[in-house]
């Protein structure tokens, strides 16, 4: 990646932290082989973030070089046709040209976001699955979410993911979803943990509550298979 040259205008650059191919470990498309494009930068910078390196490691890629990157992904893994753009917070950057390259391949596209980026400016929201992970366990960030923000995502193809350790965390999720009228079937509960043992323990604590309220219980398959590390 370091061999790609930089452009001279800010709008011609996409700042990327890493690109890899793996398995989507969470949510609606859990288990689907996917290309991951992790973008640099975040507007929240949570203490508990598992990808803090995306705030520090920046590889500037020129717009005209993005097509070559997509071509390489295809040549290396021709049967993988799902792309996950993640971060940090990917919707701080303009993704329209990258989205164009992905849709020209007829690949499906997911965008993982905290919900506080401006997708209506930086992406064409049709034909995208938005994986929204509201940061509700920190009051400073929780207060930033409004009905206007949530309703824009509900207008498109979106799911909401919440990392949850126990019944107390679950109660916060339920309160948030009821406040913003998020349909229960669009909610995925992700068991908290950085080891398979911790994930199983958290799953046991919230599984009955998921059944009671009709929330989806996700695994965290990439951690189960490869552990809590980068590039998987």
């Amino acid at each position: 990646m370091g061999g790609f040259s930089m452009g001279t205008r800010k709008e011609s650059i996409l700042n990327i932290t890493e690109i890899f191919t793996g398995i989507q470990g969470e949510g609606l498309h859990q288990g689907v082989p996917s290309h991951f494009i992790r973008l640099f930068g975040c507007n929240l910078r949570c203490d508990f973030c598992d990808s803090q390196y995306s705030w520090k490691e920046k590889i500037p890629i020129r717009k005209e070089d993005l097509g070559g990157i997509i071509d390489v992904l295809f040549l290396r893994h021709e049967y993988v046709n799902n792309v996950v753009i993640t971060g940090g917070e990917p919707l701080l950057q303009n993704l329209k040209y990258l989205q164009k390259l992905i849709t020209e391949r007829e690949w499906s596209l997911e965008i993982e976001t905290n919900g506080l980026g401006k997708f209506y400016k930086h992406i064409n929201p049709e034909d995208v699955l938005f994986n929204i992970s509201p940061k509700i366990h920190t009051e400073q960030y929780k207060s930033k979410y409004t009905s206007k923000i949530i309703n824009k995502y509900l207008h498109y193809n979106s799911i909401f993911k919440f990392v949850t350790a126990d019944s107390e965390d679950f109660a916060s999720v339920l309160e948030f979803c009821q406040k913003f009228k998020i349909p229960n079937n669009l909610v995925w509960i992700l068991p908290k943990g950085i080891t398979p043992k911790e994930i199983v323990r958290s799953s046991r604590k919230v599984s009955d509550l998921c059944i009671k309220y009709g929330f989806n219980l996700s695994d965290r398959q990439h951690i189960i298979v490869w552990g809590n590390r980068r590039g998987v």
Side-chain angles (χ1 to χ4, degrees):
M1 296 294 294
F4 291 108
S5 57
M6 294 177 59
T8 57
R9 295 182 304 167
K10 183 178 179 181
E11 61 270 24
S12 70
I13 295 295
L14 195 65
N15 290 312
I16 293 175
T17 294
E18 63 179 349
I19 299 174
F20 60 93
T21 301
I23 297 292
Q24 172 59 290
E26 304 169 342
L28 180 63
H29 291 161
Q30 178 184 311
V32 174
S34 303
H35 303 298
F36 290 82
I37 302 175
R38 187 181 302 280
L39 299 190
F40 167 82
C42 189
N43 54 341
L44 296 186
R45 301 195 172 198
C46 303
D47 292 339
F48 51 83
C49 179
D50 61 0
S51 56
Q52 293 186 15
Y53 57 89
S54 66
W55 314 340
K56 305 169 186 178
E57 300 177 21
K58 177 171 65 174
I59 305 169
I61 305 296
R62 295 189 307 175
K63 178 178 176 180
E64 54 264 38
D65 291 329
L66 289 173
I69 292 174
I70 298 300
D71 288 342
V72 169
L73 291 176
F74 171 75
L75 290 171
R76 289 179 176 174
H77 303 279
E78 63 176 303
Y79 297 112
V80 178
N81 55 19
N82 187 58
V83 177
V84 180
I85 301 178
T86 187
E89 175 46 57
L91 292 181
L92 299 179
Q93 301 188 58
N94 193 318
L95 306 180
K96 289 183 178 179
Y97 184 70
L98 178 59
Q99 181 184 16
K100 176 178 179 290
L101 294 174
I102 291 168
T103 54
E104 284 176 349
R105 284 277 184 191
E106 298 185 342
W107 289 349
S108 56
L109 174 61
E110 302 178 49
I111 296 179
E112 298 187 333
T113 174
N114 59 39
L116 297 175
K118 297 182 177 180
F119 78 88
Y120 49 92
K121 289 186 177 180
H122 296 162
I123 197 75
N124 296 319
E126 295 82 5
D127 302 320
V128 175
L129 172 63
F130 292 99
N131 295 325
I132 306 148
S133 298
K135 308 307 178 188
I136 66 170
H137 300 305
T138 303
E139 196 61 37
Q140 174 189 0
Y141 300 147
K142 182 180 177 181
S143 63
K144 295 177 181 290
Y145 294 95
T146 65
S147 294
K148 182 178 179 181
I149 290 171
I150 298 299
N151 287 339
K152 283 185 176 179
Y153 281 104
L154 288 174
H155 185 71
Y156 295 100
N157 186 22
S158 301
I159 66 169
F160 294 80
K161 303 190 304 183
F162 300 88
V163 175
T164 307
D166 50 33
S167 58
E168 183 177 348
D169 283 350
F170 193 97
S172 298
V173 173
L174 187 62
E175 178 188 20
F176 184 89
C177 293
Q178 291 176 340
K179 176 180 179 180
F180 294 113
K181 298 180 172 59
I182 299 172
N184 290 16
N185 68 308
L186 297 183
V187 176
W188 264 256
I189 300 298
L190 277 54
K192 185 177 181 179
I194 60 173
T195 67
K197 187 175 181 178
E198 290 172 346
I199 290 170
V200 170
R201 184 185 304 122
S202 296
S203 297
R204 288 173 178 166
K205 290 181 179 180
V206 298
S207 57
D208 286 343
L209 291 168
C210 287
I211 294 170
K212 179 178 179 179
Y213 290 100
F215 289 173
N216 301 284
L217 180 62
S218 174
D219 203 347
R220 306 188 75 185
Q221 197 167 25
H222 54 300
I223 295 178
I224 299 295
V225 175
W226 291 290
N228 185 39
R229 62 183 179 85
R230 291 177 59 170
V232 297

